[in-house]
Structures are given as structure tokens and as C-alpha cells.
Amino acid sequence: RLERERNARKQAEAILEQKALELFKANEELRGLNEGLEKTVAKRSKALVESELRYKRIIESMELGLLEINNDGKIIRAYDWFCDMTGYTEVELLGKDANDVFVPQDQRHLIKHQNENRQRGQAGVYELQIQKKDGEKIWVLISGAPLYDADDNIIGSVGVHYDISAQKNLQNDLIEARKVAES
């Protein structure tokens, strides 16, 4: 009987030893996989940050003012060139209604139409006169497009603004000169 118990114990110890060795090997393999995943995540995170910085530098080097608004028309991001163009800081604009800040009442129908298009996923280009912080009005050419989240839901829109005041003034001067010439 003692001999059978010893043999059973030895068999159990051998099985435990084999299972412990298998568990150790599986743990080592898992540790290796985890290290590989961590390196991959770190590499991709670095690439994402670099891509975002490159995109940001490109945007900030262009003479285009970008403004992002949410579906309620509230400003969620104002890029530097847009702030320079309008005289506001981003902090002054965040959370404000873009129409209330920039758009004269007689132009709001155009914005309403454009916002409806954005909600349907449509982009558009249009001219609009906006008011700067100091009260001066400028003409801008706006290229607007919907903003999407990771699940392809429309969460707002982005407008790329280009100051065309000089061109509009020249156009008006030419119209006046033509009227004078014709009369």
C-alpha cells in the first residue's frame, strides 16, 4: 500500500512538474508576445504623433483659417491663422456659437443652408462676409466639409477660410468703373 502511494505521489509530482514546465514555457511565450505588442504599439503611436505634427505644421503654414464646429454650431477648434484673420484667440472662441460671433443676420440663411448640407455629408464652397473682433467686415471664401468620428458619424464641420477682401474690393471698384464708363 505504501509503495502504491509513493508511486502515485511520484506520478502526481511528475505530472505537476510537466504542467509547471508547460506553464513556464507558455508564460515565457506570452511575455515575448506582449513585448512585441508593446513595441508595435509604441512604434505606431510615434508614427501617429509624427503624422499629426506634420499635418498641423502644414495647416499652420498655409494662409488659410481653419475653424471646426460641432453639430450645435459651437466652436470646438480655431486654428492660429483663423484667429489671426479674425482678431480672436482660440480661448475666446471655444464654445461660442460661430454664427453669433461672425455672421451678420442677413447672411445667416446661407449658413443655415450650408449646415444642412453638412448634416447630409455634403461639402461646399461659398463666399461670406464675416465680422472680425474689432467690428471690421471681411469677405472670406469658405470651403466647408463635414467632420466625422471614428464610427463615421457626423460630429460637426470644418471650414477652411480664405480672406478674399482685396479681390472683392477690386471687383466692386471694377463694377463702379464700368458704370462710370458706361454713363
Side-chain angles (χ1 to χ4, degrees):
R1 182 175 164 199
L2 279 173
E3 190 63 33
R4 274 188 295 168
E5 285 180 9
R6 276 190 213 141
N7 286 339
R9 198 175 275 154
K10 283 182 182 180
Q11 284 179 345
E13 287 175 356
I15 291 171
L16 280 175
E17 189 176 320
Q18 182 181 352
K19 293 298 179 188
L21 184 59
E22 289 173 8
L23 186 59
F24 177 78
K25 288 178 180 177
N27 193 31
E28 287 298 309
E29 186 177 330
L30 188 59
R31 186 185 343 262
L33 289 172
N34 190 40
E35 287 174 5
L37 283 174
E38 287 176 355
K39 287 178 183 176
T40 300
V41 167
K43 185 177 178 181
R44 289 187 178 170
S45 294
K46 182 181 177 187
L48 182 61
V49 167
E50 289 172 354
S51 176
E52 188 173 319
L53 284 173
R54 185 172 36 256
Y55 168 75
K56 184 177 179 186
R57 286 185 189 122
I58 289 169
I59 295 300
E60 290 175 353
S61 69
M62 294 187 299
E63 294 183 11
L64 301 171
L66 270 70
L67 184 69
E68 295 177 12
I69 62 171
N70 65 19
N71 285 331
D72 297 325
K74 305 292 185 206
I75 298 168
I76 56 175
R77 179 79 202 270
Y79 290 79
D80 291 345
W81 199 271
F82 183 85
C83 291
D84 291 345
M85 183 186 306
T86 61
Y88 289 94
T89 65
E90 184 177 32
V91 172
E92 291 174 304
L93 294 173
L94 292 177
K96 299 275 185 352
D97 186 294
N99 287 335
D100 292 344
V101 176
F102 300 110
V103 184
Q105 282 290 14
D106 64 337
Q107 300 282 314
R108 297 222 177 154
H109 67 283
L110 178 61
I111 292 297
K112 183 178 183 230
H113 175 70
Q114 292 296 326
N115 287 339
E116 289 168 356
N117 287 346
R118 294 303 159 271
Q119 290 301 313
R120 290 191 298 271
Q122 299 172 351
V125 178
Y126 55 100
E127 295 177 1
L128 181 71
Q129 193 173 38
I130 64 172
Q131 186 167 314
K132 295 171 47 172
K133 184 178 180 180
D134 64 7
E136 177 188 356
K137 291 183 179 177
I138 61 171
W139 281 95
V140 289
L141 179 66
I142 302 173
S143 178
L147 275 178
Y148 296 92
D149 65 10
D151 297 321
D152 274 345
N153 297 310
I154 296 173
I155 58 169
S157 64
V158 61
V160 180
H161 300 72
Y162 181 66
D163 186 346
I164 58 169
S165 298
Q167 291 90 329
K168 281 299 228 184
N169 291 337
L170 180 59
Q171 182 182 18
N172 290 336
D173 290 347
L174 289 172
I175 289 171
E176 287 301 314
R178 182 177 181 185
K179 285 179 184 176
V180 168
E182 288 175 349
S183 65

mmCIF file with all atom_site columns, all heavy atoms in Angstrom, residues 15 29 31 37 42 45 81 121 142 150 152 158:
data_model
loop_
_atom_site.group_PDB
_atom_site.id
_atom_site.type_symbol
_atom_site.label_atom_id
_atom_site.label_alt_id
_atom_site.label_comp_id
_atom_site.label_asym_id
_atom_site.label_entity_id
_atom_site.label_seq_id
_atom_site.pdbx_PDB_ins_code
_atom_site.Cartn_x
_atom_site.Cartn_y
_atom_site.Cartn_z
_atom_site.occupancy
_atom_site.B_iso_or_equiv
_atom_site.pdbx_formal_charge
_atom_site.auth_seq_id
_atom_site.auth_comp_id
_atom_site.auth_asym_id
_atom_site.auth_atom_id
_atom_site.pdbx_PDB_model_num
ATOM 1  N N   . ILE A 1 15  ? 3.611   14.696 -13.106 1.00 0.00 ? 15  ILE A N   1
ATOM 2  C CA  . ILE A 1 15  ? 2.587   15.429 -13.870 1.00 0.00 ? 15  ILE A CA  1
ATOM 3  C C   . ILE A 1 15  ? 2.626   16.907 -13.515 1.00 0.00 ? 15  ILE A C   1
ATOM 4  O O   . ILE A 1 15  ? 2.603   17.775 -14.397 1.00 0.00 ? 15  ILE A O   1
ATOM 5  C CB  . ILE A 1 15  ? 1.180   14.819 -13.637 1.00 0.00 ? 15  ILE A CB  1
ATOM 6  C CG1 . ILE A 1 15  ? 1.102   13.436 -14.277 1.00 0.00 ? 15  ILE A CG1 1
ATOM 7  C CG2 . ILE A 1 15  ? 0.095   15.739 -14.182 1.00 0.00 ? 15  ILE A CG2 1
ATOM 8  C CD1 . ILE A 1 15  ? -0.162  12.662 -13.920 1.00 0.00 ? 15  ILE A CD1 1
ATOM 9  N N   . GLU A 1 29  ? 6.426   32.546 -23.523 1.00 0.00 ? 29  GLU A N   1
ATOM 10 C CA  . GLU A 1 29  ? 5.929   32.867 -24.866 1.00 0.00 ? 29  GLU A CA  1
ATOM 11 C C   . GLU A 1 29  ? 4.997   34.075 -24.812 1.00 0.00 ? 29  GLU A C   1
ATOM 12 O O   . GLU A 1 29  ? 5.078   34.986 -25.639 1.00 0.00 ? 29  GLU A O   1
ATOM 13 C CB  . GLU A 1 29  ? 5.195   31.661 -25.447 1.00 0.00 ? 29  GLU A CB  1
ATOM 14 C CG  . GLU A 1 29  ? 4.768   31.844 -26.886 1.00 0.00 ? 29  GLU A CG  1
ATOM 15 C CD  . GLU A 1 29  ? 4.096   30.599 -27.452 1.00 0.00 ? 29  GLU A CD  1
ATOM 16 O OE1 . GLU A 1 29  ? 4.420   29.480 -27.021 1.00 0.00 ? 29  GLU A OE1 1
ATOM 17 O OE2 . GLU A 1 29  ? 3.251   30.779 -28.342 1.00 0.00 ? 29  GLU A OE2 1
ATOM 18 N N   . ARG A 1 31  ? 5.025   36.430 -22.531 1.00 0.00 ? 31  ARG A N   1
ATOM 19 C CA  . ARG A 1 31  ? 5.854   37.604 -22.236 1.00 0.00 ? 31  ARG A CA  1
ATOM 20 C C   . ARG A 1 31  ? 6.498   38.131 -23.521 1.00 0.00 ? 31  ARG A C   1
ATOM 21 O O   . ARG A 1 31  ? 6.519   39.330 -23.774 1.00 0.00 ? 31  ARG A O   1
ATOM 22 C CB  . ARG A 1 31  ? 6.918   37.258 -21.195 1.00 0.00 ? 31  ARG A CB  1
ATOM 23 C CG  . ARG A 1 31  ? 7.714   38.464 -20.735 1.00 0.00 ? 31  ARG A CG  1
ATOM 24 C CD  . ARG A 1 31  ? 8.884   38.160 -19.771 1.00 0.00 ? 31  ARG A CD  1
ATOM 25 N NE  . ARG A 1 31  ? 8.871   36.879 -19.122 1.00 0.00 ? 31  ARG A NE  1
ATOM 26 C CZ  . ARG A 1 31  ? 8.431   36.649 -17.878 1.00 0.00 ? 31  ARG A CZ  1
ATOM 27 N NH1 . ARG A 1 31  ? 7.943   37.633 -17.175 1.00 0.00 ? 31  ARG A NH1 1
ATOM 28 N NH2 . ARG A 1 31  ? 8.487   35.446 -17.360 1.00 0.00 ? 31  ARG A NH2 1
ATOM 29 N N   . LEU A 1 37  ? 4.078   43.226 -28.866 1.00 0.00 ? 37  LEU A N   1
ATOM 30 C CA  . LEU A 1 37  ? 2.912   44.102 -28.994 1.00 0.00 ? 37  LEU A CA  1
ATOM 31 C C   . LEU A 1 37  ? 3.208   45.501 -28.468 1.00 0.00 ? 37  LEU A C   1
ATOM 32 O O   . LEU A 1 37  ? 2.814   46.497 -29.073 1.00 0.00 ? 37  LEU A O   1
ATOM 33 C CB  . LEU A 1 37  ? 1.712   43.506 -28.252 1.00 0.00 ? 37  LEU A CB  1
ATOM 34 C CG  . LEU A 1 37  ? 0.996   42.368 -28.951 1.00 0.00 ? 37  LEU A CG  1
ATOM 35 C CD1 . LEU A 1 37  ? -0.072  41.770 -28.041 1.00 0.00 ? 37  LEU A CD1 1
ATOM 36 C CD2 . LEU A 1 37  ? 0.374   42.831 -30.246 1.00 0.00 ? 37  LEU A CD2 1
ATOM 37 N N   . ALA A 1 42  ? 4.028   51.144 -29.464 1.00 0.00 ? 42  ALA A N   1
ATOM 38 C CA  . ALA A 1 42  ? 4.884   52.324 -29.303 1.00 0.00 ? 42  ALA A CA  1
ATOM 39 C C   . ALA A 1 42  ? 5.296   52.890 -30.664 1.00 0.00 ? 42  ALA A C   1
ATOM 40 O O   . ALA A 1 42  ? 5.267   54.107 -30.876 1.00 0.00 ? 42  ALA A O   1
ATOM 41 C CB  . ALA A 1 42  ? 6.118   51.970 -28.483 1.00 0.00 ? 42  ALA A CB  1
ATOM 42 N N   . SER A 1 45  ? 2.213   54.481 -32.276 1.00 0.00 ? 45  SER A N   1
ATOM 43 C CA  . SER A 1 45  ? 1.869   55.721 -31.561 1.00 0.00 ? 45  SER A CA  1
ATOM 44 C C   . SER A 1 45  ? 2.809   56.844 -31.973 1.00 0.00 ? 45  SER A C   1
ATOM 45 O O   . SER A 1 45  ? 2.372   57.973 -32.205 1.00 0.00 ? 45  SER A O   1
ATOM 46 C CB  . SER A 1 45  ? 1.939   55.509 -30.050 1.00 0.00 ? 45  SER A CB  1
ATOM 47 O OG  . SER A 1 45  ? 0.956   54.606 -29.623 1.00 0.00 ? 45  SER A OG  1
ATOM 48 N N   . TRP A 1 81  ? -4.161  80.616 -37.829 1.00 0.00 ? 81  TRP A N   1
ATOM 49 C CA  . TRP A 1 81  ? -4.354  81.566 -38.927 1.00 0.00 ? 81  TRP A CA  1
ATOM 50 C C   . TRP A 1 81  ? -5.768  82.143 -38.904 1.00 0.00 ? 81  TRP A C   1
ATOM 51 O O   . TRP A 1 81  ? -5.966  83.328 -39.180 1.00 0.00 ? 81  TRP A O   1
ATOM 52 C CB  . TRP A 1 81  ? -4.060  80.906 -40.277 1.00 0.00 ? 81  TRP A CB  1
ATOM 53 C CG  . TRP A 1 81  ? -3.804  81.935 -41.335 1.00 0.00 ? 81  TRP A CG  1
ATOM 54 C CD1 . TRP A 1 81  ? -4.747  82.524 -42.131 1.00 0.00 ? 81  TRP A CD1 1
ATOM 55 C CD2 . TRP A 1 81  ? -2.581  82.548 -41.673 1.00 0.00 ? 81  TRP A CD2 1
ATOM 56 N NE1 . TRP A 1 81  ? -4.177  83.450 -42.950 1.00 0.00 ? 81  TRP A NE1 1
ATOM 57 C CE2 . TRP A 1 81  ? -2.840  83.490 -42.684 1.00 0.00 ? 81  TRP A CE2 1
ATOM 58 C CE3 . TRP A 1 81  ? -1.275  82.392 -41.224 1.00 0.00 ? 81  TRP A CE3 1
ATOM 59 C CZ2 . TRP A 1 81  ? -1.834  84.262 -43.256 1.00 0.00 ? 81  TRP A CZ2 1
ATOM 60 C CZ3 . TRP A 1 81  ? -0.294  83.153 -41.797 1.00 0.00 ? 81  TRP A CZ3 1
ATOM 61 C CH2 . TRP A 1 81  ? -0.578  84.080 -42.793 1.00 0.00 ? 81  TRP A CH2 1
ATOM 62 N N   . GLY A 1 121 ? -23.759 65.175 -45.143 1.00 0.00 ? 121 GLY A N   1
ATOM 63 C CA  . GLY A 1 121 ? -22.458 64.681 -45.579 1.00 0.00 ? 121 GLY A CA  1
ATOM 64 C C   . GLY A 1 121 ? -21.898 65.376 -46.794 1.00 0.00 ? 121 GLY A C   1
ATOM 65 O O   . GLY A 1 121 ? -20.948 64.885 -47.405 1.00 0.00 ? 121 GLY A O   1
ATOM 66 N N   . ILE A 1 142 ? -15.154 80.251 -48.204 1.00 0.00 ? 142 ILE A N   1
ATOM 67 C CA  . ILE A 1 142 ? -15.180 79.145 -47.246 1.00 0.00 ? 142 ILE A CA  1
ATOM 68 C C   . ILE A 1 142 ? -15.390 77.836 -47.994 1.00 0.00 ? 142 ILE A C   1
ATOM 69 O O   . ILE A 1 142 ? -16.308 77.708 -48.800 1.00 0.00 ? 142 ILE A O   1
ATOM 70 C CB  . ILE A 1 142 ? -16.311 79.321 -46.212 1.00 0.00 ? 142 ILE A CB  1
ATOM 71 C CG1 . ILE A 1 142 ? -16.141 80.635 -45.461 1.00 0.00 ? 142 ILE A CG1 1
ATOM 72 C CG2 . ILE A 1 142 ? -16.342 78.140 -45.243 1.00 0.00 ? 142 ILE A CG2 1
ATOM 73 C CD1 . ILE A 1 142 ? -17.312 80.972 -44.548 1.00 0.00 ? 142 ILE A CD1 1
ATOM 74 N N   . ALA A 1 150 ? -14.782 58.321 -35.406 1.00 0.00 ? 150 ALA A N   1
ATOM 75 C CA  . ALA A 1 150 ? -14.205 57.044 -35.839 1.00 0.00 ? 150 ALA A CA  1
ATOM 76 C C   . ALA A 1 150 ? -15.256 56.077 -36.372 1.00 0.00 ? 150 ALA A C   1
ATOM 77 O O   . ALA A 1 150 ? -14.934 55.158 -37.129 1.00 0.00 ? 150 ALA A O   1
ATOM 78 C CB  . ALA A 1 150 ? -13.452 56.398 -34.681 1.00 0.00 ? 150 ALA A CB  1
ATOM 79 N N   . ASP A 1 152 ? -17.780 56.988 -38.318 1.00 0.00 ? 152 ASP A N   1
ATOM 80 C CA  . ASP A 1 152 ? -18.374 57.644 -39.488 1.00 0.00 ? 152 ASP A CA  1
ATOM 81 C C   . ASP A 1 152 ? -19.664 58.403 -39.189 1.00 0.00 ? 152 ASP A C   1
ATOM 82 O O   . ASP A 1 152 ? -20.497 58.588 -40.068 1.00 0.00 ? 152 ASP A O   1
ATOM 83 C CB  . ASP A 1 152 ? -18.605 56.659 -40.641 1.00 0.00 ? 152 ASP A CB  1
ATOM 84 C CG  . ASP A 1 152 ? -17.370 56.500 -41.508 1.00 0.00 ? 152 ASP A CG  1
ATOM 85 O OD1 . ASP A 1 152 ? -16.451 57.341 -41.402 1.00 0.00 ? 152 ASP A OD1 1
ATOM 86 O OD2 . ASP A 1 152 ? -17.318 55.549 -42.302 1.00 0.00 ? 152 ASP A OD2 1
ATOM 87 N N   . VAL A 1 158 ? -15.924 71.389 -40.596 1.00 0.00 ? 158 VAL A N   1
ATOM 88 C CA  . VAL A 1 158 ? -14.708 72.186 -40.626 1.00 0.00 ? 158 VAL A CA  1
ATOM 89 C C   . VAL A 1 158 ? -14.828 73.150 -41.792 1.00 0.00 ? 158 VAL A C   1
ATOM 90 O O   . VAL A 1 158 ? -15.297 72.774 -42.873 1.00 0.00 ? 158 VAL A O   1
ATOM 91 C CB  . VAL A 1 158 ? -13.432 71.313 -40.740 1.00 0.00 ? 158 VAL A CB  1
ATOM 92 C CG1 . VAL A 1 158 ? -13.438 70.491 -42.007 1.00 0.00 ? 158 VAL A CG1 1
ATOM 93 C CG2 . VAL A 1 158 ? -12.167 72.162 -40.656 1.00 0.00 ? 158 VAL A CG2 1
#
